[in-house]
Amino acid sequence: MLGMSDRALSFGTMAEAYERFRPGYPAALFDMVLTYAGRPVRTALEIGAGTGKATRLLAQRGVTVTATEPDGAMLAELRRHVPANVRTVRAAFEDLRPGESYGLVYAAAALHWTNPEGRWSRMAALVEPGGVFASFGGPVQLADPAVEEAVRVARAPFLASDDVPSPDGTPPGDHLQWPGTELQRSPWFTDVRQSVIERRATMTARDYVGLLSTISAYLVLPAPEREQVYRRIAEVLPDTVEIAADITVHLARRRREP
Ligand SMILES: C[S@@+](CC[C@H](N)C(=O)[O-])C[C@H]1O[C@@H](n2cnc3c(N)ncnc32)[C@H](O)[C@@H]1O
């Protein structure tokens, strides 16, 4: 049985598929971060940058991004897709040492993989006083409830769910979700906001199965079971599917003093 850290580092083997099948991030997200910052953002540090889908969003708009990522295969894929002025560092969040600080520190679909112990004091050391922390992401769901249910039934013998559970156990019905909950409790951060950006896409059934092949819950299954679950899911999908992949954004400002 693979543990959580194996699951956190399960993406690298799938770096190319990740780049091909996972949806990117919209310009509206960049605008939201900038509006919240209320001042120009010149430098940013990204945690768990993966293949650089969020790195591109900022770097293409003139922000000097340092992209950090522990998985060498993901980082190699990232380097193929980002502008030359992006600095890349192979490191997990836990290995980043305080030193330089940034106007923006952010994590896209990656913060839940980091160690909760000392997370916010370590984060605060990386953000300039008055600077911004952002975390964003969300599940990719099937928009049609009937298709979603057919997939759930096909998946059930192999996996109860492919969701990533809330890291601090916040019930799904609560208004403020993780990591907003932790940010609000941290003495280092203030002005915590949570917003949702709607993201919809239509894709072929084949690409949808490709997308599933980048989701850690499937990646950690033994190979024969993984192949079977993909086959069973493919059998119940229509030729094209609509996905609902809303992005939940958490923003907070680094206090000058805790
Ligand atoms: C779901 S991917 C997200 C990639 C990218 N940020 C995106 O939005 O497309 C999660 C990433 O977190 C990385 N990761 C896992 N554990 C980490 C840690 N402790 N610190 C930083 N990144 C980590 C994985 O290697 C993987 O690239």
Side-chain angles (χ1 to χ4, degrees):
M1 185 73 191
L2 293 168
M4 190 66 176
S5 58
D6 302 298
R7 195 170 163 181
L9 294 175
S10 61
F11 297 100
T13 47
M14 285 288 145
E16 273 176 50
Y18 194 100
E19 177 55 28
R20 176 164 167 209
F21 297 116
R22 288 260 186 146
Y25 297 101
L29 176 56
F30 179 77
D31 298 340
M32 183 182 279
V33 174
L34 263 265
T35 304
Y36 175 85
R39 62 184 194 186
V41 171
R42 298 203 168 82
T43 60
L45 176 80
E46 180 169 359
I47 294 158
T51 67
K53 285 183 183 279
T55 321
R56 270 161 268 178
L57 182 71
L58 279 90
Q60 285 165 354
R61 288 165 179 79
V63 180
T64 302
V65 183
T66 300
T68 68
E69 163 60 47
D71 187 305
M74 292 295 258
L75 206 54
E77 187 67 27
L78 174 145
R79 290 195 186 103
R80 298 174 52 202
H81 303 285
V82 300
N85 64 343
V86 169
R87 200 176 135 221
T88 58
V89 179
R90 184 169 177 188
F93 170 62
E94 298 75 16
D95 299 328
L96 299 173
R97 293 286 155 254
E100 216 169 323
S101 61
Y102 301 81
L104 170 69
V105 175
Y106 69 100
L111 193 70
H112 51 286
W113 299 121
T114 63
N115 186 346
E117 215 169 294
R119 178 183 279 143
W120 298 110
S121 52
R122 187 174 290 122
M123 197 69 78
L126 298 165
V127 188
E128 286 168 9
V132 175
F133 169 75
S135 174
F136 43 88
V140 176
Q141 290 167 325
L142 289 155
D144 182 336
V147 180
E148 176 78 46
E149 175 57 13
V151 168
R152 190 192 62 74
V153 170
R155 186 182 55 220
F158 307 92
L159 265 182
S161 157
D162 58 10
D163 291 345
V164 176
S166 171
D168 70 350
T170 303
D174 282 13
H175 172 68
L176 186 65
Q177 287 293 307
W178 184 91
T181 44
E182 280 186 10
L183 282 161
Q184 210 159 48
R185 289 192 291 266
S186 166
W188 285 104
F189 291 92
T190 184
D191 196 10
V192 178
R193 306 251 181 103
Q194 173 179 290
S195 318
V196 176
I197 296 175
E198 212 178 80
R199 186 170 55 171
R200 294 282 179 280
T202 302
M203 55 175 65
T204 64
R206 212 188 166 88
D207 282 1
Y208 179 71
V209 175
L211 178 67
L212 296 184
S213 80
T214 70
I215 292 177
S216 64
Y218 297 90
L219 289 174
V220 295
L221 288 174
E225 286 184 29
R226 202 163 61 217
E227 291 315 314
Q228 266 194 67
V229 69
Y230 294 153
R231 204 172 323 114
R232 299 257 187 107
I233 289 175
E235 279 165 11
V236 300
L237 291 174
D239 291 347
T240 58
V241 294
E242 201 191 329
I243 59 159
D246 291 353
I247 305 165
T248 300
V249 186
H250 287 98
L251 294 163
R253 202 175 307 279
R254 157 83 149 85
R255 286 185 198 276
R256 291 180 190 276
E257 298 294 332

